[in-house]
Amino acid sequence: MNSLISHIQKFIPLNNEEAEIVLSYFKIEKFKKKQLLLQENQICNKQYFIVNGCVRFYINTTKGTEQTTQFGIENWWITDYLSFQYLTPSSFNIQAIENIEILSIERNSFEALLERLPKLEKYFRLVLQKSFGAAQVRIKYLFTMSAEERFHHMNDYFPEFIQRVPQYMIASYLDFSAEFMSKIRSGKV
Amino acid sequence: MNSLISHIQKFIPLNNEEAEIVLSYFKIEKFKKKQLLLQENQICNKQYFIVNGCVRFYINTTKGTEQTTQFGIENWWITDYLSFQYLTPSSFNIQAIENIEILSIERNSFEALLERLPKLEKYFRLVLQKSFGAAQVRIKYLFTMSAEERFHHMNDYFPEFIQRVPQYMIASYLDFSAEFMSKIRSGKV
DNA sequence: CGAAAAACTTGAAGTACTTCAAGAAAAGTA
DNA sequence: TACTTTTCTTGAAGTACTTCAAGTTTTTCG
């Protein structure tokens, strides 16, 4: 069974015919580890649903380092929402951390699909409510926990990431240095 | 003209009859400066549209301080989205910074309204896309700018807040101390 | 398999902030 | 108007991290 269809059906009912229509608007794409799905300064005119694998959202800082701000795994949507909505150049990069398989839909097709099947508006609204809620909680953690607490929290609640993703990306996502991460893990702090 | 209706019409067409229906689901509420619209541990079963005035979203930290994580002004929606969607207890507080006038809608009425006027799904989806996009950019600023840069950025792009809101709340929102804010402003840093 | 690249570790030195304490200024209220 | 509360300022001391540089381990891939 297609994972996007299953995901949609967790939120709204969808019959076989509708499922066919949905899929006809998407393209399946594969990227190899390290490839970029989106590069800064480009317009992010696609939205991605991750079927298989793991990606990250990151910024190139003025210091020449890379700052990871989000991760995405199976069954997550990922895009730069402002760039997607207003078709303005993005300042983010989206990169495959593993070889990945994703479903992509262009901005125009996305609008056409929603016109064709308006019931999907509800699905996307619910997905966004959840995503924005998660962003609210994320800000809370960043603001109220020390580096060490943030690491342990992630370790406890999202152990799958710690396994899958290089430590320095996790450190960056939690807003501290790779070296400090290493010290936390070895108990030298 | 009602400000909620105008706001909706910026995103989707809405005739008079539909506007009447929309408004019938909302309640107008007034709160005085410092009153709480939501208190932590409560379930946030309402969503608010700010007609007049200014509110903040904050957490009580374990250190006994208050950490502001969001602001809201005229024409913004505000709620704890996870608490609202899953009816779980919130860890946030929402407080009026000025005397305010808001439109509130309960979770049940919200669902009923969307059943009655499904075209509103699109409006809320678009509002959420924009909000989540703004959250992505906010994280970027927090991660890539120094305290001083964050202050100047806010000063340049959102001067209305600097005027309206006590400095210590701005400092907290930008994730530094009120004392440091004072030093930035006076150039002693 | 072996070589190269990527990821992780360690300690020493530095810094961008925080915390504390106290006083001054501004705003709210009777 | 004066009194109270809230907000802002200042300097001194402290700290949770960062940065740098170098070495070690692990992973990738021809």
Side-chain angles (χ1 to χ4, degrees), chain B residues 7-23:
Chain B
H7 193 254
I8 295 175
Q9 286 172 338
K10 275 190 210 154
F11 294 87
I12 59 166
L14 202 71
N15 65 35
N16 287 344
E17 197 186 334
E18 290 163 336
E20 287 296 321
I21 295 173
V22 170
L23 291 177

Side-chain angles (χ1 to χ4, degrees), chain B residues 75-106:
Chain B
N75 294 323
W76 290 24
W77 284 95
I78 200 151
T79 191
D80 175 341
Y81 279 95
L82 284 187
S83 178
F84 183 75
Q85 183 155 353
Y86 298 106
L87 300 175
T88 50
S90 177
S91 48
F92 295 98
N93 303 272
I94 304 179
Q95 186 188 44
I97 302 180
E98 305 166 350
N99 295 337
I100 61 168
E101 221 177 291
I102 54 174
L103 287 165
S104 73
I105 186 165
E106 290 193 8

Side-chain angles (χ1 to χ4, degrees), chain A residues 59-97:
Chain A
I59 312 151
N60 288 309
T61 68
T62 50
K63 288 180 200 158
T65 60
E66 293 174 351
Q67 178 74 48
T68 298
T69 64
Q70 276 178 253
F71 290 111
I73 53 172
E74 287 81 10
N75 293 323
W76 290 24
W77 285 96
I78 200 149
T79 191
D80 175 342
Y81 279 96
L82 285 186
S83 178
F84 184 75
Q85 183 154 353
Y86 298 107
L87 301 175
T88 50
S90 176
S91 48
F92 296 98
N93 303 272
I94 306 179
Q95 186 188 45
I97 302 180

Side-chain angles (χ1 to χ4, degrees), chain B residues 42 95 176:
Chain B
Q42 287 176 347
Q95 186 188 44
F176 48 77

Side-chain angles (χ1 to χ4, degrees), chain A residues 11 47 57 59 61-62 67-70 78-82 84-86 91-92 110-111 114-115 118 120-144 172-175, chain B residues 11 47 57 59 61-62 67-70 78-82 84-86 91-92 110-111 114-115 118 120-144 172-175:
Chain A
F11 294 88
Q47 196 166 1
F57 214 78
I59 312 151
T61 68
T62 50
Q67 178 74 48
T68 298
T69 64
Q70 276 178 253
I78 200 149
T79 191
D80 175 342
Y81 279 96
L82 285 186
F84 184 75
Q85 183 154 353
Y86 298 107
S91 48
F92 296 98
F110 183 60
E111 281 176 9
L114 288 166
E115 294 260 317
L120 290 178
E121 291 283 3
K122 179 172 182 174
Y123 165 69
F124 286 105
R125 174 179 61 84
L126 290 171
V127 166
L128 278 159
Q129 278 185 192
K130 203 173 157 183
S131 302
F132 187 72
Q136 289 180 316
V137 171
R138 168 127 191 256
I139 295 269
K140 172 182 139 188
Y141 291 143
L142 283 171
F143 278 16
T144 59
S172 168
Y173 174 78
L174 294 174
D175 203 19
Chain B
F11 294 87
Q47 196 167 0
F57 214 78
I59 311 149
T61 69
T62 49
Q67 177 74 49
T68 298
T69 64
Q70 277 178 251
I78 200 151
T79 191
D80 175 341
Y81 279 95
L82 284 187
F84 183 75
Q85 183 155 353
Y86 298 106
S91 48
F92 295 98
F110 184 60
E111 282 177 8
L114 288 166
E115 295 260 317
L120 290 178
E121 291 282 4
K122 179 174 182 174
Y123 165 68
F124 286 105
R125 175 180 61 83
L126 290 171
V127 165
L128 277 160
Q129 278 185 192
K130 203 173 158 183
S131 302
F132 188 72
Q136 288 180 315
V137 171
R138 169 129 191 254
I139 295 268
K140 173 183 138 185
Y141 291 143
L142 282 171
F143 278 15
T144 59
S172 167
Y173 174 78
L174 295 174
D175 204 20

Side-chain angles (χ1 to χ4, degrees), chain A residues 92-176:
Chain A
F92 296 98
N93 303 272
I94 306 179
Q95 186 188 45
I97 302 180
E98 305 166 350
N99 295 338
I100 61 169
E101 220 178 291
I102 56 174
L103 287 165
S104 74
I105 186 166
E106 289 194 11
R107 168 62 194 275
N108 290 339
S109 308
F110 183 60
E111 281 176 9
L113 171 59
L114 288 166
E115 294 260 317
R116 178 100 176 266
L117 287 180
K119 68 193 298 197
L120 290 178
E121 291 283 3
K122 179 172 182 174
Y123 165 69
F124 286 105
R125 174 179 61 84
L126 290 171
V127 166
L128 278 159
Q129 278 185 192
K130 203 173 157 183
S131 302
F132 187 72
Q136 289 180 316
V137 171
R138 168 127 191 256
I139 295 269
K140 172 182 139 188
Y141 291 143
L142 283 171
F143 278 16
T144 59
M145 291 178 173
S146 70
E148 203 173 347
E149 287 167 337
R150 294 199 297 277
F151 169 71
H152 289 307
H153 183 270
M154 182 141 189
N155 220 355
D156 292 348
Y157 289 87
F158 306 98
E160 69 274 24
F161 281 103
I162 311 281
Q163 305 310 317
R164 268 175 103 160
V165 173
Q167 274 180 44
Y168 72 91
M169 289 185 193
I170 305 264
S172 168
Y173 174 78
L174 294 174
D175 203 19
F176 49 76

